[in-house]
Amino acid sequence: MPAGHIAPAKATLLQKCRAAAAERGMIHRMSLNWNPGPEPVAQKFEAAWKVFAASCAHLWANEASYQAWFAHYLIGQFGIDRVGREVIINEKYFVHSPGIGEVRPDAVVAREPGIMIPHYANSEARSSDKSGIGILKHLSVISELKVGASTAGGLQRRSILADVIKLGRLLDEHSLSAADSAAPLAYVCVLDNHHRKTFDLEALETEVREGPYHRGVRLLTISATTKPIAPVDSA
């Protein structure tokens, strides 16, 4: 074989290697310039909600257990360092609608990794306005969860509407304290899975949509097809 001549098989292999190297370089350049756009927060939250309902609606448990399971699916979407529970906000110092207690959203999602949600009166991170409402600037989602099977009486309309009002109050206070900051998405999630008592979700949705409630609070509802089976032993 003449000097400098490469056998056809080796030449083909060399061409493939060069082509693969060029492709890797192109992919690397694309990854450096790729911009995925804004995070689809609503899509991710609602996906977690649907998977939670599909996975847990048949289970019979207390409220704390359902909340822990829901947080698990939120962590799957957003990461463990962005999901927290029961941010504590003192309503005594609210401007729009002051109260006498504390407001605690069930589950929250931070805008960035590294969630920090200390108590509003924590001496190491004391809130400047004494309420803790400033934490909403750092949250992309605030939410409440209601599950029919968590109580003997099933879902209660008044309790659900109270959560709608609670999140609406937080959005109002946020608009007053941080008007230049985007408000978090607000969801009240309702799972109708009581084994005996069916709740009228359609009537609830109509009431929230047409009633005097904050337009920024969204109601997510699911009626479970598979519900918990009451045990024979009631102990």
Side-chain angles (χ1 to χ4, degrees):
M1 181 178 295
H5 181 76
I6 301 176
K10 290 184 178 180
T12 301
L13 179 61
L14 182 60
Q15 289 170 353
K16 289 182 178 179
C17 290
R18 287 173 175 170
E23 183 177 358
R24 286 196 299 271
M26 181 175 67
I27 292 174
H28 177 67
R29 289 192 296 274
M30 288 174 61
S31 65
L32 291 177
N33 298 325
W34 182 59
N35 181 1
E39 181 184 23
V41 174
Q43 181 179 338
K44 292 168 70 172
F45 182 90
E46 292 172 29
W49 159 243
K50 291 175 182 176
V51 175
F52 158 76
S55 304
C56 303
H58 69 289
L59 302 175
W60 204 347
N62 59 12
E63 184 180 41
S65 295
Y66 285 114
Q67 290 177 346
W69 298 332
F70 186 36
H72 164 79
Y73 290 106
L74 289 175
I75 289 170
Q77 288 288 342
F78 295 100
I80 195 168
D81 56 353
R82 290 182 63 190
V83 177
R85 287 199 56 240
E86 294 198 349
V87 174
I88 304 173
I89 300 172
N90 189 341
E91 61 182 336
K92 177 181 178 181
Y93 299 99
F94 281 11
V95 176
H96 188 270
S97 57
I100 58 173
E102 296 174 337
V103 180
R104 305 185 182 202
D106 284 340
V108 301
V109 178
R111 296 189 186 279
E112 302 290 341
I115 190 169
M116 294 184 66
I117 48 174
H119 191 282
Y120 63 85
N122 185 299
S123 60
E124 299 297 324
R126 189 177 296 276
S127 171
S128 60
D129 65 355
K130 300 182 180 180
S131 73
I133 197 69
I135 188 66
L136 295 186
K137 292 186 295 185
H138 306 290
L139 301 178
S140 58
V141 178
I142 55 177
S143 68
E144 291 289 330
L145 176 65
K146 285 287 184 282
V147 180
S150 66
T151 63
L155 294 170
Q156 302 296 319
R157 168 183 164 278
R158 180 177 296 180
S159 177
I160 297 170
L161 294 178
D163 281 346
V164 174
I165 293 171
K166 174 166 66 172
L167 295 188
R169 293 177 64 214
L170 290 176
L171 294 180
D172 281 337
E173 292 300 319
H174 171 75
S175 67
L176 293 172
S177 64
D180 58 338
S181 175
L185 301 179
Y187 293 98
V188 174
C189 305
V190 183
L191 175 60
D192 180 20
N193 68 331
H194 196 277
H195 65 286
R196 286 186 294 104
K197 299 183 178 182
T198 301
F199 190 80
D200 190 344
L201 292 175
E202 186 175 346
L204 175 69
E205 292 168 353
T206 300
E207 182 171 4
V208 171
R209 183 174 60 253
E210 299 179 357
Y213 303 102
H214 197 292
R215 298 297 95 188
V217 179
R218 184 173 178 190
L219 193 65
L220 299 181
T221 64
I222 291 179
S223 181
T225 54
T226 304
K227 300 180 180 181
I229 299 175
V232 176
D233 180 5
S234 60

